Amino acid sequence: MDINKILSEMTLEEKAEMCSGSSFWYTQSVERLGVPAVMMCDGPHGLRKQKGAADHLGINESIETVSYPTGPALAASFDRDVLRKLGEAIGEECQAENVAMLLGPGVNIKRSPLCGRNFEYFSEDPYLTGELAASFVESLQEKGVAACVKHYAGNEQETLRMSSDTIVDERTLHEIYLSPFEATVKKGKARSIMSSYNAINGSFVAECKKMLTDVLREKWGFDGFVVTDWGGVQDRVKGLRAGLDLEMPGGNPDAAVRIVKAVQDGTLEESVLDKAVLNMLTFVKRSITKRQPDTNIDRDANLKLAAELEKECAVLLKNDNAMLPIKKSSKVAYIGEFAKKPRYQGSGSSYINVPNLVGAYDAANNLSITYAQGFRANDSETDATLLDEAIKVAKESDVAVLFVGLPNSYESEGLDRSHIDMPANQNILINAIATVQPNTIVVMHTGSPVTMPWIDKVSAVLCVYLGGANVGTATNALLFGDANPSGKVAESWPIRLEDTSAYLNFPGHEGVVEYREGIYVGYRYYDKKRMDMLFPFGHGLSYTKFSYSDLKVSNSKISDEDEITVTCKVKNVGDVPGKEAVQLYIGNPQDGVQRPVRELRDFAKVSLKPGEEKQVSFTLGKRAFAYYEPKINDWNMETGTYTIDIGASSRDIRLSVAIEVESTTELPIVFTRNTPMAYLQKTAKGRALAEQMTAKRQQAQSDSSASDHLGEGSKEMVEAMVREAPLKFMCSFGGVSIEQLDAMIEMLNS
Ligand code: GLC
C-alpha cells in the first residue's frame, strides 16, 4: 500500500471525507483506491465491540466477552507485567474480532476522588500512571492493535466535561496532567491520542495547536494520529490546522463539505489536509500489515487470566491479628449482595458485556459457606429482614465476610460523585455485623476511595476495587490464603472528603474548573501539609513481612547528564511466599522552588519465597530529580540536596540516602529595576556585578558613619531587606544614576 501514491490520486472530497469516520466505529474507506475502513472500539479493560446499534455510553449490546480488573485495581498491582499481560490478551481479542484500535488506556489523573470515571483511570501519581499505561500500550501494539490514549487532557471530572474549561498553570499541566500521556508517547509509542472534550485555559483541545502539535508532536515526537472524543469536535477546519486528524463518530457530512470549501477558498492549505490524510492512511496501512486474521481466543482461558490478574491487584488494607487468611476449616458467612453479584466494572463507554460473572459465593463451591444478602445494592434503605438474617448468620459463624462497596449508581462516566460515603444501609450492616462478630472482614468493591466510619470495628479490609468478571475466584483465593495479596493503593484514601486538595475547586462553577491546588495532588498534598489519612498512597499489606536493607548508590553527586544506579535488598522474613511493590521516591529540597516532599520515581514488584532475599536495582536520570520549569518550557533539575527514599508506601520509608545535585542549567532572568538584589546571584554576570557593588559599599561605609532608614533592626531584618531590595534602590541609596542603573540592567540582560 503506497500511501503517498494513494494520496496523490485522491480527490479533494475523498481527502476531506478521510478526516471523519464513516460510521460510529469505522474510519472512512476509499474503495476505488483499495483503502478499507477499519474499526476501533472501546476498552480500556476489555473489548466493547458493538455489532448492531452503536453508542458511546455502553447502552447498546456489545459482544459477549471477558472484562478485566479496571484502572485503580491494575494500578494497585504496581506491576508493569500485569499491564503487559492485559495488553496481550486484549490485543489478541481485537485481532480475533478484526478491531484495529482499542480506545484506551485512560490516563487522566485522580485530582479528586469525586470524579465519576476514576474507576477507569490508574492513579493520582503521573509517574505510576505513565509507566503502567506505557506497558499496556507497548504490549497491545505488539499484537498489531493501535492504542488510543485518552482523554488528552485536563479531563479530570465528568461534570460539564463536553464544554468545560480547565484552568491550570503551565507547570502543573506538564508535571501532573500531561506527563502520563508523554510516557505513553515516548515510551509506549502510542499510535493514537484521543483529544478530550474540554478546553484548557480557554482553548478547546480539539482545536488547540499548542496541545496537538507543539507539545504532542514537536516536543514529544508523536507520529500517530489524533482522534476526537465522540462528538468532541469544535471547528473542524481550525482543528485540522491545530493537528486534529480524525473526527468521530462519522456520519456528519458537513465536516467534509466545510473542509473542501476551506481549501477551495484558500483558508486551509491543502498541505495541512494532506498531513492528516497521510496520518490516517498510515494507521490503515499499519492495521492491514499487522492484521493477524487467524487469531483465536479462548474466553475460558481469558476468564482465568482475569482472576490471575486480580490476585495481583487486590489490596489488603487492614489485617489486625492476622485475621486473614481464613482457615478453611472455619465456619464462614458470606454476607452482602456482592458475594453473589459483585460490582466488577463501571458504567459508560467501558461497559463490557459479560455473560458469566463469577461471584465469590458461587466460586467457593468446595468450602462450607453460609450466605446472607444483607442489603440491596440498588437501594440505600436498610431492609430489616435482610439485616436480621445477616446478623443471625454472622453470630452462628466463626468468621463473617462482608461483600460491600459502591453500587453502579454511585460512580460512572458522565456523572461525578457528590460525596465519598458508602450507602447508608451498607454502613449500618457493617456496624451491626461487627458488633456481634469480632472476626469481621470487609471485602470492598469500589472504583475509588470511600469513607470507612466502621474501620476500627472490623478486623480486616480487602479492597478488590472493580475486579473484573472473575473477581469472585480471585477473592476466595486471597481470603483463604491460596493467593497472597500484594496490591498497594495507587491513590490516597482520605479520612474525609473535606481533606482533599481539590475540595474547594471541584467541579468548578458554570463549566470553569480551576486547578488551584496546582501540583499538590494526592499524596503530594497530604505529605506537604503533613496530614493524616485513612490509607496513604502506596499502602498495602501482605500475609508475610518484608525487610529492606543495603541501600547503595553508584554516585552520591550527580549533574544534568549523569545517571545514578540505586540498589537495595528486600527479604521475605515471613513464612509464606509473597510479592512486594518496592517504591522509590525522590525527596526534594524544600528551600528552593516549591516542591512536593517526595515523589514516586520508580517501582518494582518482587516475588520472594520465605527467607528469600533479592537485590532490586533502579537507574535514575535527570528527570527523576526535575520539576517542569515554564521559564524554559522544559524539565529542570535544581541544585540542592535530595534524598532517595525506598518505601513500602509513601508513608513507610524503609531506607534513605542523601544525594547532592549540581545543576548546570542557568535559568533565564530578565532583570528590571524591580528585580530583587538577591537575584544577581542567579547569573554569572549578576554575581560579578554584586561583587563590585559589595566592594564599593564596604569602601563607602568605611568613609562615613552609616546612616539609614531602617532604625534599630535585627541582623536578619537588615539582611533580608538588603537581599530583597529592588535594583532601583541603588539609585536611592547607592549613589547610582538611573542611567547607570539602566545600563547595568541592559548588560545583565544581554
Ligand atoms: C465516550 C468516552 C470515550 C469513549 C468514546 C467512544 O464519550 O468519553 O472514553 O472512548 O466516547 O465510546
Side-chain angles (χ1 to χ4, degrees):
M1 191 179 181
D2 180 342
I3 58 175
N4 289 303
K5 183 171 177 297
I6 290 172
L7 177 71
S8 67
E9 294 166 357
M10 287 173 79
T11 64
L12 177 57
E13 287 69 20
E14 287 168 334
K15 291 184 197 175
E17 284 158 11
M18 195 76 199
C19 297
S20 299
S22 59
S23 66
F24 219 86
W25 301 118
Y26 282 86
T27 59
Q28 189 63 258
S29 63
V30 187
E31 298 300 342
R32 73 181 187 86
L33 297 174
V35 179
V38 293
M39 188 179 195
M40 56 191 77
C41 293
D42 285 306
H45 42 263
L47 177 58
R48 180 173 80 96
K49 177 183 178 183
Q50 292 178 324
K51 285 181 169 160
D55 68 81
H56 63 302
L57 294 174
I59 297 163
N60 290 301
E61 189 85 340
S62 54
I63 60 167
E64 292 187 344
T65 183
V66 173
S67 78
Y68 296 92
T70 74
L74 295 166
S77 73
F78 272 79
D79 192 342
R80 297 173 180 87
D81 284 341
V82 163
L83 274 297
R84 269 192 273 275
K85 285 183 185 129
L86 180 63
E88 284 163 20
I90 297 181
E92 285 170 4
E93 186 157 12
C94 287
Q95 284 289 1
E97 292 288 342
N98 195 8
V99 172
M101 181 159 88
L102 186 83
L103 301 172
V107 298
N108 295 91
I109 289 295
K110 302 188 178 193
R111 172 176 177 252
S112 166
L114 291 175
C115 175
R117 248 179 133 172
N118 275 346
F119 72 86
E120 215 178 310
Y121 302 146
F122 289 95
S123 174
E124 68 192 29
D125 181 81
Y127 177 81
L128 180 64
T129 300
E131 281 293 301
L132 295 177
S135 300
F136 177 85
V137 166
E138 276 175 325
S139 65
L140 180 82
Q141 296 187 155
E142 277 160 16
K143 292 294 178 186
V145 177
C148 179
V149 187
K150 64 189 185 181
H151 306 86
Y152 180 76
N155 180 187
E156 275 71 39
Q157 64 187 52
E158 293 301 288
T159 305
L160 291 170
R161 63 171 172 158
M162 298 182 181
S163 58
S164 63
D165 187 4
T166 295
I167 308 300
V168 58
D169 67 275
E170 192 67 8
R171 177 180 172 193
T172 301
L173 179 61
H174 282 268
E175 220 167 290
I176 303 294
Y177 299 101
L178 293 187
S179 67
F181 292 96
E182 182 184 6
T184 60
V185 167
K186 286 182 174 173
K187 194 161 192 169
K189 306 286 183 250
R191 302 303 319 141
S192 183
I193 291 281
M194 182 189 291
S195 58
S196 57
Y197 287 118
N198 57 282
I200 294 181
N201 297 329
S203 174
F204 279 98
V205 175
E207 57 185 31
C208 177
K209 179 179 170 299
K210 173 195 163 190
M211 291 292 288
L212 302 184
T213 295
D214 303 349
V215 172
L216 189 56
R217 297 180 199 277
E218 288 170 10
K219 202 181 217 7
W220 296 348
F222 175 68
D223 62 356
F225 74 98
V226 178
V227 56
T228 62
D229 198 340
W230 265 234
V233 71
Q234 293 293 325
D235 174 324
R236 187 67 192 89
V237 173
K238 193 176 167 193
L240 268 174
R241 264 196 230 103
L244 173 69
D245 301 298
L246 178 66
E247 171 188 3
M248 287 304 278
N252 166 13
D254 174 51
V257 168
R258 291 172 58 184
I259 292 171
V260 168
K261 188 173 169 307
V263 171
Q264 285 169 343
D265 68 19
T267 54
L268 176 71
E269 305 73 24
E270 189 155 1
S271 60
V272 171
L273 176 58
D274 289 351
K275 239 191 305 183
V277 174
L278 273 177
N279 287 337
M280 294 314 300
L281 290 174
T282 302
F283 166 54
V284 174
K285 177 177 180 180
R286 187 186 297 265
S287 304
I288 294 167
T289 45
K290 295 200 176 271
R291 179 85 181 91
Q292 298 162 21
D294 51 3
T295 304
N296 293 311
I297 46 164
D298 175 347
R299 289 211 164 94
D300 290 339
N302 284 352
L303 193 61
K304 287 192 179 68
L305 173 65
E308 290 311 303
L309 295 181
E310 173 56 18
K311 288 175 190 173
E312 306 295 324
C313 299
V315 184
L316 183 56
L317 294 173
K318 178 180 183 182
N319 192 22
D320 286 357
N321 317 314
M323 178 70 233
L324 284 171
I326 304 169
K327 294 177 187 56
K328 290 183 179 168
S329 57
S330 306
K331 191 168 171 11
V332 181
Y334 274 12
I335 297 170
E337 189 176 312
F338 286 175
K340 282 194 171 180
K341 287 188 288 178
R343 182 148 171 268
Y344 63 100
Q345 65 170 327
S347 303
S349 60
S350 69
Y351 189 82
I352 306 296
N353 182 2
V354 169
N356 48 1
L357 170 60
V358 179
Y361 179 72
D362 296 330
N365 37 33
N366 56 348
L367 294 161
S368 68
I369 289 173
T370 312
Y371 171 75
Q373 184 177 352
F375 67 94
R376 285 194 183 78
N378 59 4
D379 186 349
S380 60
E381 294 301 313
T382 294
D383 177 311
T385 310
L386 292 179
L387 179 60
D388 291 345
E389 182 204 11
I391 290 169
K392 180 173 175 298
V393 166
K395 276 180 177 173
E396 293 163 359
S397 304
D398 302 326
V399 179
V401 185
L402 284 154
F403 289 76
V404 295
L406 288 188
N408 250 340
S409 58
Y410 272 58
E411 56 178 352
S412 84
E413 179 175 340
L415 178 74
D416 287 323
R417 297 200 283 172
S418 56
H419 61 82
I420 59 173
D421 301 326
M422 297 255 290
N425 58 351
Q426 293 190 38
N427 283 333
I428 289 165
L429 171 70
I430 296 165
N431 270 308
I433 298 301
T435 303
V436 301
Q437 174 51 263
N439 301 330
T440 293
I441 296 156
V442 170
V443 177
M444 183 61 72
H445 304 71
T446 181
S448 45
V450 293
T451 52
M452 297 182 176
W454 32 262
I455 187 65
D456 296 331
K457 295 179 72 173
V458 303
S459 301
V461 181
L462 176 69
C463 181
V464 295
Y465 275 112
L466 301 185
N470 205 353
V471 61
T473 301
T475 304
N476 288 332
L478 293 161
L479 287 173
F480 289 92
D482 296 328
N484 184 357
S486 63
K488 299 200 171 184
V489 289
E491 57 194 333
S492 308
W493 285 56
I495 294 168
R496 57 192 199 125
L497 177 63
E498 292 81 353
D499 290 349
T500 56
S501 60
Y503 178 66
L504 296 176
N505 296 285
F506 186 100
H509 181 60
E510 290 181 351
V512 177
V513 55
E514 296 178 78
Y515 288 15
R516 288 192 179 191
E517 70 284 348
I519 58 175
Y520 296 107
V521 174
Y523 70 87
R524 288 171 167 80
Y525 176 72
Y526 301 116
D527 289 354
K528 195 80 173 179
K529 296 253 298 191
R530 300 174 64 188
M531 291 170 71
D532 289 335
M533 42 233 311
L534 193 53
F535 304 109
F537 175 87
H539 167 79
L541 303 175
S542 171
Y543 295 151
T544 188
K545 291 247 181 287
F546 300 98
S547 70
Y548 290 61
S549 64
D550 212 8
L551 173 57
K552 289 197 172 71
V553 291
S554 54
N555 29 315
S556 58
K557 203 179 170 84
I558 74 160
S559 188
D560 290 51
E561 307 314 319
D562 300 334
E563 280 194 339
I564 182 170
T565 301
V566 179
T567 60
C568 67
K569 288 184 179 146
V570 184
K571 184 175 185 179
N572 181 340
V573 293
D575 50 18
V576 294
K579 293 184 180 180
E580 176 73 337
V582 180
Q583 299 152 52
L584 184 151
Y585 295 87
I586 296 292
N588 297 311
Q590 296 296 299
D591 55 359
V593 165
Q594 270 275 7
R595 300 292 298 271
V597 171
R598 62 174 59 86
E599 297 175 278
L600 182 76
R601 288 300 191 231
D602 210 335
F603 58 91
K605 194 88 175 257
V606 190
S607 178
L608 295 165
K609 298 185 188 68
E612 187 180 11
E613 182 173 64
K614 280 182 184 170
Q615 176 166 287
V616 190
S617 179
F618 305 98
T619 302
L620 305 172
K622 166 180 177 178
R623 184 69 178 260
F625 300 87
Y627 70 97
Y628 189 84
E629 176 51 73
K631 290 193 195 100
I632 54 174
N633 262 332
D634 203 351
W635 295 82
N636 182 49
M637 186 173 77
E638 200 179 36
T639 296
T641 303
Y642 296 69
T643 58
I644 290 178
D645 301 334
I646 304 293
S649 88
S650 61
R651 292 286 175 97
D652 180 5
I653 301 303
R654 303 288 182 87
L655 304 168
S656 186
V657 66
I659 295 289
E660 290 308 319
V661 167
E662 192 69 41
S663 173
T664 54
T665 306
E666 195 168 88
L667 294 180
I669 295 181
V670 177
F671 288 90
T672 69
R673 295 177 179 177
N674 284 300
T675 303
M677 292 279 198
Y679 283 30
L680 290 172
Q681 297 306 319
K682 292 175 183 270
T683 70
K685 288 180 183 171
R687 286 189 289 273
L689 178 62
E691 275 166 33
Q692 286 170 20
M693 285 161 48
T694 307
K696 234 177 110 187
R697 190 169 58 243
Q698 280 161 353
Q699 182 59 41
Q701 273 168 351
S702 64
D703 295 349
S704 67
S705 61
S707 58
D708 62 61
H709 67 295
L710 299 179
E712 184 56 38
S714 69
K715 175 168 132 334
E716 290 76 12
M717 180 193 83
V718 172
E719 282 173 359
M721 285 194 172
V722 169
R723 188 176 60 241
E724 296 185 1
L727 295 177
K728 69 184 178 189
F729 266 37
M730 288 198 276
C731 302
S732 314
F733 303 97
V736 170
S737 72
I738 198 72
E739 291 74 19
Q740 285 168 325
L741 174 66
D742 287 346
M744 284 180 199
I745 290 170
E746 193 180 335
M747 176 277 291
L748 289 167
N749 289 334
S750 65

